[in-house]
Structure formats: C-alpha cells, structure tokens
Amino acid sequence: MKKITIAIDGYSSCGKSTMAKDLAKQIGYVYIDTGAMYRAVTLFALRHGLFIEDGSVKTDELKSQMKDIHITFQFNPSTGRPDTYLNGELVEQVIRGMEVSSHVSLIAAIPFVRTAMVEQQQRMGKDKGIVMDGRDIGTTVFPDAELKVFVTASPEVRAQRRYDELKGKGMPADFADILRNVEERDYLDTHRETSPLKQASDALLLDNSNLTIEEQKQWLIEQYQRTSEA
C-alpha cells in the first residue's frame, strides 16, 4: 500500500482526535493533533494575561510573543498516543479543560496564529504517512490529501460526550455550559475570516451522532484501505 495523507476535519467534540489517534495506531501512521496546537497557544495566552476582560485578545502582544511559543509532541508509551508539550512542559490534560475550551476559538481565528500553525503542520506532514485532524486540514493545510473526512454530530450529542469526558477525568463539568460552549465554537469556527470550518468538496461526510466507536473504526479503515490501494 502506498503512503497517503489523511485529513480529518469537523466540528468540536465530534471525537475527531480519538478517531484519528486510533486510526493512526492501527495502520502505523504518525498522528498530529492540530487542535492541541491551538489549545497550547491559548494556554500560553491565558497564562500571560493576553485576554482582555471583554474576552478579546491582545493581538499585538501575542504576535510579539509567538516566537516564544514552542509546541512539540512526545509519544506516551502508556497510552500509545502522543502528548502535547508547551515549551517543554507536559500540558496534555490542562489544555482539555473548560477554560482553554472557552477561549480557543478566539485564538484560532487570528490570522498570524493560523499561519504559524499551518506552516508547522505542513512541515510535519511533508513525508506523508500521517493522520491529522482539525478544522482546516483538508481545505488549507493539505488540500491535496488523498483521504479527507468531515465529521459532524448534533450539538447535544457532542456536549454530552464532552461532559462525559470531563467527568471521567474528574474535572468539573456543567452540561448547559458545555452545550453553550459547543454552539459558540461552532459559530466562531464557521464564521472566522481565515480558514473557516467547512467541508472540502472532495471530503467524505461522517455523521457519527448514532455510531458506536467500533462502527466508526470499521468505516474509517474501509475508507483508508480503499484509498491507499487505489
């Protein structure tokens, strides 16, 4: 089978990352979590007081500090998946909390942030054999990816999944707050000026509202086998 690039895009809390991680592990590809990269930048901005009280971002200050933001991934043998590091610090858990979730779409909408992240992502995937998930992988980062999947599910289903995930990690969670955050992120992601979330014309649509994890895995591996053998 030839090595290909697999781009998985879609709405927040659709399970894209879990889906992409599992697929990469199954087929021996490298997995890159682009959402974690934007979350790491968001965490940096929160820690450095770069959000104004009205929720907007001190863009000039963030732009001047982008050179100080170094995001890397290290394989975790206990989970079989990569962990996210910000300037050498393991931040995999903290970037998944509600504080980062409620600010990340604002950071991800900033053109110079997206430009910096896209350049890093393209370098990571230049040799193919990767699975990358995010909001604009099939449209902006790798428009020529051989396999593109666009994932969706109802806001209520996605909010419940996020709630269950946070509770399972022992983190505070309120369903109403999470649902509101999911809907707000959908609006921001689809309406931002730079690389808005949208389905690529040649992407396969996967609505996983009523699918089990195993059904998703089977569907994905079938698409991979069909594409890599073509």
Side-chain angles (χ1 to χ4, degrees):
M1 290 184 179
K2 64 182 179 182
K3 275 191 175 183
I4 64 172
T5 297
I6 301 173
I8 299 180
D9 290 315
Y11 290 93
S12 67
S13 301
C14 273
K16 297 186 305 298
S17 294
T18 299
M19 189 185 310
K21 289 172 186 173
D22 289 344
L23 177 62
K25 185 176 181 180
Q26 185 175 0
I27 64 178
Y29 274 27
V30 175
Y31 165 70
I32 299 171
D33 183 353
T34 64
M37 297 172 73
Y38 290 102
R39 285 175 174 272
V41 176
T42 303
L43 179 62
F44 180 93
L46 285 166
R47 288 179 169 178
H48 289 78
L50 301 183
F51 284 95
I52 304 171
E53 286 187 7
D54 64 3
S56 58
V57 182
K58 300 176 183 178
T59 51
D60 289 342
E61 292 184 35
L62 177 59
K63 189 172 186 178
S64 70
Q65 295 183 55
M66 284 298 294
K67 64 183 184 300
D68 301 321
I69 302 175
H70 303 288
I71 302 163
T72 55
F73 296 96
Q74 292 184 29
F75 184 75
N76 184 334
S78 66
T79 63
R81 295 171 175 174
D83 286 335
T84 310
Y85 286 75
L86 172 62
N87 295 334
E89 175 194 352
L90 175 61
V91 295
E92 184 63 33
Q93 291 298 320
V94 67
I95 62 172
R96 308 297 175 180
M98 279 303 296
E99 184 178 27
V100 170
S101 293
S102 61
H103 290 84
V104 65
S105 288
L106 293 170
I107 292 292
I110 299 172
F112 66 78
V113 174
R114 297 206 71 83
T115 297
M117 295 299 103
V118 167
E119 287 176 353
Q120 287 190 39
Q121 292 154 14
Q122 289 174 332
R123 284 197 298 272
M124 292 174 180
K126 62 182 177 60
D127 295 324
K128 295 186 179 292
I130 62 161
V131 182
M132 192 176 288
D133 74 282
R135 302 287 193 281
D136 61 349
I137 312 306
T139 54
T140 301
V141 183
F142 292 113
D144 296 325
E146 291 87 348
L147 176 57
K148 301 178 186 178
V149 177
F150 190 87
V151 191
T152 187
S154 71
E156 292 76 16
V157 166
R158 289 184 283 136
Q160 186 64 51
R161 289 172 180 167
R162 185 74 178 139
Y163 175 85
D164 293 341
E165 178 187 6
L166 291 172
K167 295 297 284 186
K169 293 178 178 177
M171 302 173 72
D174 178 89
F175 179 81
D177 288 344
I178 294 171
L179 178 58
R180 184 163 52 249
N181 174 246
V182 165
E183 293 172 336
E184 288 172 353
R185 289 181 68 187
D186 285 355
Y187 181 84
L188 290 169
D189 288 344
T190 55
H191 288 77
R192 63 176 176 240
E193 183 177 347
T194 304
S195 299
L197 169 65
K198 62 180 180 180
Q199 181 180 347
S201 60
D202 54 347
L204 303 174
L205 180 64
L206 173 62
D207 186 335
N208 67 7
S209 298
N210 300 306
L211 293 181
T212 66
I213 297 296
E214 285 307 313
E215 287 171 335
Q216 283 184 156
K217 285 182 177 180
Q218 183 60 35
W219 184 88
L220 271 174
I221 197 67
E222 288 174 359
Q223 308 313 313
Y224 159 71
Q225 290 171 341
R226 178 182 58 78
T227 305
S228 61
E229 291 171 353

